[in-house]
Amino acid sequence: MTTLKQFSTLLAAFAMATTLGCAATSKSESTGEYVDDTAITTKVKSAILAEDTLKSAEINVETFKGIVQLSGFVSTQANVDKAVVVARNVSGVKSVKNDMRVK
């Protein structure tokens, strides 16, 4: 019987460690959030690529917990504004941080 208790305790500890290891904190993402953010990043990059006036190679896209950060150097302020609008219109985006600079 003690072997069964030890096994149960070990299994419970493993389950708790696994669950807590995948939990999100304010500075890290859960596995599901990471997958969601990767999908959002891909959608934003695709939307920017589809926009003829924007050069997608100039704009870097990162997503953390649904917040999209745009960075890079673009040729005009109009391109900065357009990229922000395009990113905001992608489903799943909570907000957009604009760190782009006009060259």
Side-chain angles (χ1 to χ4, degrees):
M1 193 65 162
T2 56
T3 306
L4 181 61
K5 282 185 178 181
Q6 289 175 341
F7 180 73
S8 296
T9 304
L10 182 62
L11 185 61
F14 178 75
M16 190 175 350
T18 303
T19 302
L20 293 176
C22 294
T25 65
S26 63
K27 295 182 182 178
S28 68
E29 297 175 299
S30 69
T31 305
E33 287 174 324
Y34 177 80
V35 171
D36 292 344
D37 286 344
T38 302
I40 291 170
T41 298
T42 302
K43 289 179 193 176
V44 171
K45 286 181 179 183
S46 295
I48 289 172
L49 181 62
E51 188 62 41
D52 294 335
T53 59
L54 299 174
K55 294 182 182 174
S56 61
E58 294 179 334
I59 302 171
N60 300 314
V61 180
E62 294 181 26
T63 308
F64 183 74
K65 295 190 175 191
I67 300 170
V68 173
Q69 179 178 356
L70 302 176
S71 60
F73 294 94
V74 294
S75 54
T76 66
Q77 183 62 42
N79 286 350
V80 171
D81 298 337
K82 185 65 176 178
V84 170
V85 169
V86 167
R88 280 192 183 132
N89 289 329
V90 171
S91 65
V93 173
K94 293 179 182 174
S95 67
V96 177
K97 279 182 61 179
N98 175 17
D99 290 330
M100 291 180 289
R101 304 286 183 249
V102 177
K103 21 179 175 175

